[in-house]
Structure formats: C-alpha cells, structure tokens
Amino acid sequence: MPQSPGLSCRVEVRGDTVHLNVVGELDHQSGDAFDQTVRAVLSGRPTMLVLDLTAVTFLSLEGVAAIVDACYRAVNGGSTLAIRPSPQVARRLHSVGLAELVTAYDAGQAGRPAAPDPARDRSP
C-alpha cells in the first residue's frame, strides 16, 4: 500500500470486512496515499469498510476531504462504512458539521456497526 511521511495505513481483512488502520497525520501531504489505499481496498468490493482512525494524531481540512471522498467511494461501491475516530478526528469532523460520519463500531459483533447508543449520541 502507498505510504506517506507521517502516515501509515495497514489493511486487515476479516471475512467480508476490511479494516483500514490509519496511523499518523492525515493532511495535504498524506491525502493522496490515503486515497490510493482506499481505492485499492474498495476495488475488492468488501461488504464493509472500517476506517480505524483512532491513531490519527492530526486531521487537516484536506484530510477531512479525503475521508469524505472515501465515504463517497465506499457507499457508491456498495460497501457499508464505519469510522472509528481518534478524539482529534471526532472534534474536527464535528467542527465542520460532519459528526454524523462517525459510526459506532462493535468489533465483537462480526464486523457490524454497533446499535446506536442514545447516551453517546446525545448532543450537549
């Protein structure tokens, strides 16, 4: 998979679910490598793509655009998408009005999105 200074992506296939574990900074320098990796993963037409962004330490607006593009590609390709954000990613997505992209994900349920948690999803 393409790599970029400051960003690494690791792909794990678990049945019909693909986990893309992203580590580092997702910004203008690493967005292309992230996009290429997402395209490669989605070319296999997984039933579900989990973007694990829990180890992303910085997310620029270019990185947000890369995530939105990944969502668009996944959904248009017929994949279900779940995003597991780091606190930084969750804050950035919330600040630009995209908090709804973040999906609760329960790894213990055979790679399915977790049932919504009303306590977690409530806005302050």
Side-chain angles (χ1 to χ4, degrees):
M1 291 295 143
Q3 298 297 315
S4 172
L7 183 81
S8 67
C9 299
R10 184 171 44 93
V11 177
E12 292 179 39
V13 179
R14 300 178 192 166
D16 59 356
T17 298
V18 175
H19 293 254
L20 180 56
N21 302 298
V22 183
V23 178
E25 298 181 358
L26 186 49
D27 56 20
H28 69 282
Q29 291 182 340
S30 59
D32 285 340
F34 175 78
D35 182 59
Q36 289 176 28
T37 302
V38 168
R39 286 174 188 246
V41 166
L42 291 175
S43 71
R45 304 237 183 250
T47 300
M48 180 171 204
L49 171 61
V50 178
L51 292 179
D52 188 336
L53 307 176
T54 55
V56 171
T57 57
F58 176 76
L59 180 65
S60 71
L61 290 177
E62 291 88 351
V64 170
I67 292 170
V68 169
D69 190 54
C71 294
Y72 176 80
R73 290 182 189 290
V75 171
N76 283 336
S79 297
T80 301
L81 179 81
I83 297 177
R84 297 183 64 212
S86 67
Q88 295 86 344
V89 170
R91 277 194 300 277
R92 175 64 70 148
L93 291 176
H94 186 270
S95 74
V96 297
L98 295 172
E100 70 276 2
L101 288 180
V102 177
T103 306
Y105 180 77
D106 183 355
Q109 293 296 315
R112 302 289 183 250
D117 178 356
R120 185 186 74 84
D121 296 335
R122 219 176 295 150
S123 297

